[in-house]
Amino acid sequence: PILNIHDTLKAEKWPVYRILGIKGNIIEGATEPIINKELSLKMYSMLVRIQVLDEIFYNAQRQGRISFYMQSSGEEATHIGTAAALSYSDMVLAQYREVGLLLWRGFSLQDVADQCFSNIADLGKGRQMPIHYGSRELNYQTISSPLATQMPQAVGVAYAMKLSNSQSVAICFFGEGAASEGDFHAAMNFASTLEAPVIFFCRNNGYAISTPAVEQYRGDGIVSRASGYGMHCIRVDGNDILAVYTATEQARKIALERNCPVLIEAMTYRRGHHSTSDDSTKYRSLAEINFWRDHFDPVSRFRNYLESKGWWDSSKEQSLRETEKLTVIQAMQIAEKKPKPQLDSMFEDVYKVKPPNLIKQEQELLKHIAKFPDHYNKSNH
């Protein structure tokens, strides 16, 4: 045998699956998915809803009306492309930039606003930071801030689905930065060895907060890791909604039919700041951001596709955006006026019966508020 230590950096790069060109045309050799006009227009309206929601709530945070916000600018197609391809019975374990899946499943703009304002109508009872959504009814597990914790949990969900023969899958979203966490390895290995029907959807958007992808890993992205786990995989253009839809649809089919995990790496770009706590111009240029906006915007790309089919025009565009803007503003104004949850609700829903240490903490809080009433506004609770 010949001794040959392989230099994997010289290996052929993984291809990117793509259907739409950057101007919204079907590229040569690509197979256009069968998506009717009604579904296509719903997909586009949801892309616009995400954009309008992000703009208004980002500005609301800057005005001090909410404490925190995260935009999805540039990554909208990863939300709606996957949402349209999944069954409502599939469990979503998101990271924090996937609100479009919730909106697709029926989470209203009022639900979004109530959560971000942490008011009495918030399903999480005001205990979570803004954008940490969750809905048992819509099979969307509540967001957790620590990176990658949802990944091994998704495997457990998928394994339970397999044992119960539910004919559903779990889908787990994460960024390329989260793939550097130990939970990534644990989840991938468990998923493969347990043969769990789970889709791992990596949004490779170029930055893990301020860390660029070139400093995050040395190999060929995230999809190249799948072979080490014996896992099905595909790399897709995350700014091409038709490619994301088709890849997710096929990944779900494989996961169910073969009882196995599938890894999707969606190559996209985070145009906005990581969050309202970040200023991305400190580590990347405006020219770079504008380049991606002008050439690879997923929303305008899909709009061009719809216009080429005669399904969309500028008057419909203006009407849709005006309607969405008014609806988002109205939801925000209503949410802002709702009272906050009762203070004692802070200590509920952890234990069936409150243990002594929790009772002690509650009493200490109430005593503290009573001692310094000028510092705490109880009238809004």
Side-chain angles (χ1 to χ4, degrees):
I2 299 174
L3 175 63
N4 186 8
I5 298 177
H6 294 275
D7 182 355
T8 58
L9 293 179
K10 295 181 179 178
E12 184 177 352
K13 300 297 182 184
W14 278 83
V16 178
Y17 176 65
R18 183 177 289 114
I19 295 175
L20 290 177
I22 60 174
K23 294 184 178 180
N25 57 298
I26 301 295
I27 64 175
E28 185 178 353
T31 301
E32 183 177 1
I34 302 174
I35 302 178
N36 62 31
K37 178 180 178 180
E38 181 182 7
L39 180 57
S40 297
L41 294 182
K42 180 182 178 182
M43 292 168 74
Y44 184 71
S45 67
M46 286 296 169
L47 293 175
V48 172
R49 177 168 293 183
I50 296 168
Q51 284 192 327
V52 174
L53 174 70
D54 275 355
E55 180 182 1
I56 292 173
F57 271 75
Y58 179 86
N59 290 332
Q61 192 282 333
R62 289 300 191 230
Q63 294 164 0
R65 298 165 80 172
I66 57 176
S67 61
F68 180 81
Y69 195 74
M70 297 182 79
Q71 295 176 298
S72 303
S73 181
E75 302 178 56
E76 298 91 347
T78 63
H79 300 212
I80 306 306
T82 53
L86 295 170
S87 166
Y88 282 25
S89 65
D90 296 333
M91 184 65 73
V92 178
L93 294 95
Q95 186 161 319
Y96 40 55
R97 217 183 296 276
E98 292 88 16
V99 68
L101 281 96
L102 262 180
L103 295 173
W104 181 268
R105 292 186 173 195
F107 204 69
S108 70
L109 290 171
Q110 193 61 62
D111 292 328
V112 170
D114 289 338
Q115 196 284 327
C116 287
F117 278 90
S118 300
N119 63 35
I120 198 168
D122 170 23
L123 296 177
K125 300 184 179 180
R127 298 166 180 159
Q128 284 272 27
M129 292 172 62
I131 67 89
H132 286 55
Y133 312 105
S135 173
R136 178 182 296 180
E137 179 185 0
L138 301 177
N139 289 321
Y140 190 103
Q141 295 203 10
T142 303
I143 303 299
S144 178
S145 282
L147 282 183
T149 56
Q150 75 276 17
M151 299 190 72
Q153 294 165 3
V155 180
V157 170
Y159 189 58
M161 287 174 164
K162 173 185 173 180
L163 295 179
S164 63
N165 195 30
S166 69
Q167 294 304 301
S168 299
V169 304
I171 183 166
C172 177
F173 290 85
F174 62 101
E176 82 284 352
S180 295
E181 296 285 340
D183 279 344
F184 171 86
H185 166 69
M188 301 287 276
N189 202 46
F190 270 125
S192 292
T193 56
L194 294 174
E195 299 178 330
V198 55
I199 300 171
F200 292 108
F201 193 98
C202 176
R203 293 178 294 95
N204 192 334
N205 63 16
Y207 291 90
I209 308 183
S210 60
T211 304
V214 293
E215 296 178 13
Q216 189 68 237
Y217 50 77
R218 188 61 63 207
D220 184 16
I222 308 303
V223 70
S224 63
R225 304 180 191 182
S227 58
Y229 297 102
M231 188 179 295
H232 289 73
C233 62
I234 186 173
R235 172 177 280 166
V236 64
D237 182 345
N239 291 0
D240 177 352
I241 194 170
L242 295 186
V244 173
Y245 171 86
T246 306
T248 305
E249 183 181 51
Q250 186 63 24
R252 184 180 188 276
K253 185 174 184 288
I254 291 171
L256 277 179
E257 291 181 353
R258 305 186 187 184
N259 271 322
C260 68
V262 181
L263 171 64
I264 300 174
E265 181 181 25
M267 309 306 290
T268 183
Y269 186 78
R270 192 199 80 212
R271 286 211 313 262
H273 306 298
H274 173 72
S275 72
T276 49
S277 302
D278 174 48
D279 178 3
S280 65
T281 61
K282 299 295 184 182
Y283 51 84
R284 61 179 180 176
S285 67
L286 282 173
E288 175 184 313
I289 298 170
N290 293 336
F291 176 81
W292 279 87
R293 180 198 63 199
D294 296 340
H295 294 88
F296 300 105
D297 175 52
V299 181
S300 59
R301 192 171 178 177
F302 191 48
R303 176 186 172 180
N304 289 339
Y305 168 77
L306 296 178
E307 289 181 346
S308 71
K309 299 179 80 68
W311 293 350
W312 201 250
D313 56 42
S314 57
S315 63
K316 291 177 181 178
E317 180 76 14
Q318 182 178 355
S319 176
L320 175 63
R321 288 190 178 272
E322 288 177 354
T323 299
E324 290 294 335
K325 184 177 181 179
L326 289 173
T327 307
V328 172
I329 291 173
Q330 182 181 40
M332 181 176 66
Q333 290 173 339
I334 292 172
E336 203 167 21
K337 294 176 182 177
K338 291 180 182 178
K340 303 297 182 184
Q342 292 290 329
L343 284 174
D344 55 7
S345 70
M346 187 188 308
F347 299 90
E348 297 174 351
D349 302 328
V350 179
Y351 300 97
K352 184 176 181 180
V353 178
K354 291 181 188 177
N357 64 312
L358 205 56
I359 293 174
K360 181 181 178 182
Q361 289 177 33
E362 183 177 5
Q363 292 172 343
E364 288 176 346
L365 173 65
L366 295 176
K367 287 179 181 178
H368 178 79
I369 293 173
K371 185 177 180 180
F372 302 100
D374 294 340
H375 294 271
Y376 300 95
N377 179 17
K378 292 178 62 178
S379 62
N380 195 33
H381 288 268

